[in-house]
Amino acid sequence: MHPHAPRRIRFNAFDMNCVGHQSPGLWRHPDDRSSEYNTIAYWTHLAQVIERGRFDGLFIADVLGTYDVYGSSNRATLAAGTQVPVNDPVLLVSAMAAVTEHLGFGITAGTAFEHPYPFARRLATLDHLTGGRVGWNVVTGYLPSAARNMGQRDQAAHDDRYDHADEYLEVVYKLLEGSWEDGAVVRDRRSSVFTDPDRVHEIGHAGAHFTVPGIAITEPSPQRTPVVYQAGTSPRGLRFAGENAECVFVAAPTRQRLAQAVTGIRAAAIEAGREPGDVKVYTLLTVITGPDEAAAQAKHEDYASYIDHQGALALLSGWMGIDFSQYGLDDVIGHDVQTNAVQSAVDTFRASAGDDEPWTVRRLAEWVGIGGFGPVVVGSGAQVADELLDWARETDVDGFNLAYAITPGTFEDVVEYVVPELQARGAYPTDYEEGTLRHKLFGRGDRLPANHRGSGFRIGALAMSGGAER
Amino acid sequence: MHPHAPRRIRFNAFDMNCVGHQSPGLWRHPDDRSSEYNTIAYWTHLAQVIERGRFDGLFIADVLGTYDVYGSSNRATLAAGTQVPVNDPVLLVSAMAAVTEHLGFGITAGTAFEHPYPFARRLATLDHLTGGRVGWNVVTGYLPSAARNMGQRDQAAHDDRYDHADEYLEVVYKLLEGSWEDGAVVRDRRSSVFTDPDRVHEIGHAGAHFTVPGIAITEPSPQRTPVVYQAGTSPRGLRFAGENAECVFVAAPTRQRLAQAVTGIRAAAIEAGREPGDVKVYTLLTVITGPDEAAAQAKHEDYASYIDHQGALALLSGWMGIDFSQYGLDDVIGHDVQTNAVQSAVDTFRASAGDDEPWTVRRLAEWVGIGGFGPVVVGSGAQVADELLDWARETDVDGFNLAYAITPGTFEDVVEYVVPELQARGAYPTDYEEGTLRHKLFGRGDRLPANHRGSGFRIGALAMSGGAER
């Protein structure tokens, strides 16, 4: 036990504009409403639930293609409703913003498929409409099936995608940070001046991938650049995160792995001239809770009975690039399945589960079938609170990106049973701070801090930095 | 007077995610709220006002660049707030849909700058979220300044843009009409089948501009293809409208011009194998009204005193491709300004205004300064209702695309004073019909009719049409 107050725990809710995001098959559960993903009411209700629970935000994942590694087709994916059909995430934001006051929205959008000029306008528009509550989860690629439907033969090579994304972000930073000065918009009814043209600047960008000579067509929004989220874990992805990300999402099944990931991310921030605390790290985790431990355990068993094994393996096949349709559900990993990557993943999952037995493909599907690669924590509110605090203490993680087993039930349970326990331990806020999402996260204002890459593209940064930044 | 009941009048509200859309300078009026364009509250209030007035929809224009012909720069445009800053329109929809039940949303989006695969998903998502209340206003180009910021030297040539748009729409139709069969989504909890993979088809599109081999990743929405809007008036644009548009927006300052435009559009529909009534035509018009004629006239004078001449001329310069900064406000058109295009436009405006005097540049700016190229009708509710009915009778137009002088005041006035007069004359509905936007407009169901180009891309259309359609 530590003598000082426990560290603060942060929550994000993890969802996607689709059915059964990380819990294939659970759309069949009578209490699950994920098949109402295509209605506004589902999203406004969810936003209100997690705002009541003082979550930092709702993080909406996205793919623009189907998982088609399993059986070399998308048949299993379609049948199970595994992340297909999938609707656009950005279009959900204004409805949810209208019924909430503080909740943040972390929206996934790729750098591969839309030109940064109109995309920067989308970001600015969302930041205006939400009063500064938007984050952008930068992804550099989608599924290969998405690339093909955009007329490309496949995704660009991994590191090339990051080089392309570097320039993409440069254009976005220049438009949102370096085109309109603070105070350029004067809205002066007497002098008839809406915007002072002397204080709006062409960005003059000419790079390897993009040519953007002109001004941003949006006025500065509360945060200018929305909070930058990222989830890459490769060395190149880590460098990108160190330079750009303010929040990083990781998926680590054990505390040891998570501690390593957190250390790596903070080191990458330092490498980029930032402070270790300049990046908040959220780890993927699913909570199943209830009024007491027995109720939570019963709920877990009930949920597990709805897992769609084929749907889970279709997801896993896409993530790992291994076609699991070639194996039977009772095949034993290490015996019938002899693939190093699978063995390594299963070893980690077994360690997390405290399980000594060999795993079958079925067991693997059931691990992935609730909450994907993240652990599942089952127990009373007090038990879950203690376990999350242990995770945070041992790993230096800032918070949890909470997947659902069923939605919005899983989130409602966390708000009802876990949040009050964390609050009672002084580890969770009882109310939001005022201000933008960035200010709520870091407590030092609405804008990117001076040591962030994006600040180097501000008006005046050229002179201040002796020209080094441009 | 006609012995039969007067024809039905339809209203759309015309707005844009910017300040002073078609009334440069009137953002300075104390009652104007257009400078709150970047808040959700502005838009949800407007949507509720015009739904109370039983408008068909809110039509949101868009540009992705600045007007920079006037003085060869965007300085006048910025200073006057003339359609810059401008935010993204599609992101407004879900918030407005959440507070309305029947109102349609006509969203402008160009075919030049986003790949049709993600764009089709945006359309499907909006149609899902609104329960089938979305229209897409297809534009083939934006301003040249927009093209340059997308890394192009200029816009493609006019007719090439339409050829490109033809294929763009083909991809959208194939994705939204021809990939997922009706009933493909079974959502069957017992059999565990969300989607029947046998009823989802790859579109296999390989064209001059786009290669899209796969399936749509969205399930069918209430209308599948949103209602198609268009506003082109060139011969090539008319052909495109005849083949694709279900609603066309025109801007004609006189009844004679409008009658010609309506005739041309209906002829283009017939040319494309459709019925003349298969296209609803809305003409641009601004209503200034009040409790009586004197109040309306006083309001008009008050509004006119806020027109920003430079801002109006910056808009006009962009529309006409003529730099009006070279003239003084008191220069006389036909004498100091000797340009055929300007003379021709002014002759038409003068005819509409019933004005015999020569016009100065100032007078021209004041004409354009409230409601752009459309006429301004000033009077009591009864007077306006009679005049609109005359326009409709004489021109065969279906309805009016109502611009604002101030917003939402202009729309509130129409709802308060004009709508009840039209209802009393049996020319305007007292309530909405149930159903999708398309059904509300045409009364024959949610989907594209069989004689529409898009229906040729349905599953089975190949066999039914003997292969002619593909």
Side-chain angles (χ1 to χ4, degrees), chain A residues 27-29 35 37 62 75 79 86 88 91 94-95 121-122 125 149 187 189 192 194 198 214 217 219, chain B residues 27-29 35 37 62 75 79 86 88 91 94-95 121-122 125 149 187 189 192 194 198 214 217 219:
Chain A
W27 64 269
R28 296 173 293 157
H29 192 283
S35 66
Y37 74 98
D62 191 32
R75 293 183 62 87
V86 54
D88 187 293
L91 301 170
S94 68
R121 186 171 73 147
R122 292 198 210 275
T125 302
N149 285 325
R187 280 177 156 82
R189 289 174 195 253
S192 301
F194 192 86
D198 289 332
I217 50 172
E219 60 177 301
Chain B
W27 64 268
R28 295 173 295 157
H29 192 283
S35 66
Y37 75 98
D62 190 32
R75 293 184 60 88
V86 54
D88 187 294
L91 301 170
S94 68
R121 185 172 74 147
R122 291 197 210 275
T125 302
N149 284 325
R187 278 178 159 82
R189 290 173 194 255
S192 300
F194 192 85
D198 288 332
I217 49 171
E219 60 176 301

Side-chain angles (χ1 to χ4, degrees), chain B residues 63-148:
Chain B
V63 293
L64 197 54
T66 54
Y67 290 82
D68 56 6
V69 173
Y70 185 88
S72 302
S73 96
N74 52 33
R75 293 184 60 88
T77 321
L78 282 163
T82 302
Q83 300 192 0
V84 64
V86 54
N87 282 353
D88 187 294
V90 303
L91 301 170
L92 302 169
V93 174
S94 68
M96 292 191 288
V99 299
T100 54
E101 190 183 348
H102 293 286
L103 188 70
F105 303 98
I107 305 301
T108 298
T111 54
F113 301 133
E114 184 172 37
H115 191 282
Y117 195 74
F119 181 71
R121 185 172 74 147
R122 291 197 210 275
L123 290 178
T125 302
L126 289 178
D127 204 49
H128 277 290
L129 292 176
T130 61
R133 292 192 275 145
V134 165
W136 169 31
N137 177 42
V138 184
V139 299
T140 60
Y142 286 107
L143 298 167
S145 58
R148 287 195 299 273

Side-chain angles (χ1 to χ4, degrees), chain A residues 54-335:
Chain A
R54 308 296 183 243
F55 282 39
D56 286 344
L58 172 65
F59 171 37
I60 312 182
D62 191 32
V63 293
L64 197 54
T66 54
Y67 291 81
D68 56 6
V69 172
Y70 186 87
S72 302
S73 96
N74 52 33
R75 293 183 62 87
T77 321
L78 282 163
T82 301
Q83 300 192 0
V84 64
V86 54
N87 282 351
D88 187 293
V90 302
L91 301 170
L92 302 170
V93 174
S94 68
M96 292 191 288
V99 299
T100 54
E101 190 182 348
H102 293 285
L103 188 69
F105 303 99
I107 305 302
T108 298
T111 53
F113 300 133
E114 183 171 38
H115 191 282
Y117 195 75
F119 182 71
R121 186 171 73 147
R122 292 198 210 275
L123 290 179
T125 302
L126 289 177
D127 204 50
H128 277 291
L129 292 175
T130 61
R133 291 191 276 146
V134 165
W136 169 30
N137 177 41
V138 183
V139 298
T140 61
Y142 285 108
L143 297 167
S145 58
R148 288 194 299 273
N149 285 325
M150 301 284 294
Q152 299 158 20
R153 293 195 59 177
D154 198 349
Q155 298 192 103
H158 179 272
D159 284 11
D160 293 346
R161 294 208 306 270
Y162 275 103
D163 294 342
H164 178 274
D166 271 341
E167 189 185 336
Y168 194 100
L169 264 76
E170 183 176 331
V171 174
V172 170
Y173 292 140
K174 285 176 173 173
L175 288 167
L176 300 183
E177 302 286 337
S179 183
W180 294 53
E181 296 180 27
D182 287 339
V185 178
V186 291
R187 280 177 156 82
D188 185 346
R189 289 174 195 253
R190 266 185 321 133
S191 69
S192 301
V193 174
F194 192 86
T195 302
D196 177 355
D198 289 332
R199 301 175 78 175
V200 180
H201 308 280
E202 300 191 331
I203 68 166
H205 179 84
H209 302 97
F210 306 108
T211 303
V212 184
I215 65 167
I217 50 172
T218 52
E219 60 177 301
S221 64
Q223 299 182 116
R224 287 188 176 257
T225 300
V227 174
V228 181
Y229 295 75
Q230 214 256 352
T233 51
S234 68
R236 184 65 181 89
L238 261 184
R239 199 184 99 200
F240 185 87
E243 288 168 352
N244 298 284
E246 300 174 86
C247 296
V248 171
F249 294 112
V250 297
T254 66
R255 297 179 195 194
Q256 192 190 354
R257 287 283 181 98
L258 178 58
Q260 287 166 357
V262 173
T263 302
I265 290 160
R266 303 218 191 279
I270 293 168
E271 186 70 25
R274 302 163 69 199
E275 299 296 320
D278 287 352
V279 183
K280 302 286 183 205
V281 185
Y282 298 83
T283 192
L284 179 64
L285 188 138
T286 306
V287 167
I288 298 179
T289 186
D292 56 37
E293 182 178 2
Q297 293 291 356
K299 214 175 263 189
H300 185 209
E301 272 175 47
D302 178 39
Y303 293 163
S305 71
Y306 286 89
I307 292 172
D308 184 321
H309 297 88
Q310 280 213 337
L313 293 173
L315 210 51
L316 190 64
S317 297
W319 289 339
M320 299 193 72
I322 292 164
D323 180 2
F324 278 90
S325 76
Q326 63 193 298
Y327 306 115
L329 283 178
D330 295 318
D331 283 1
V332 176
I333 289 156
H335 183 264

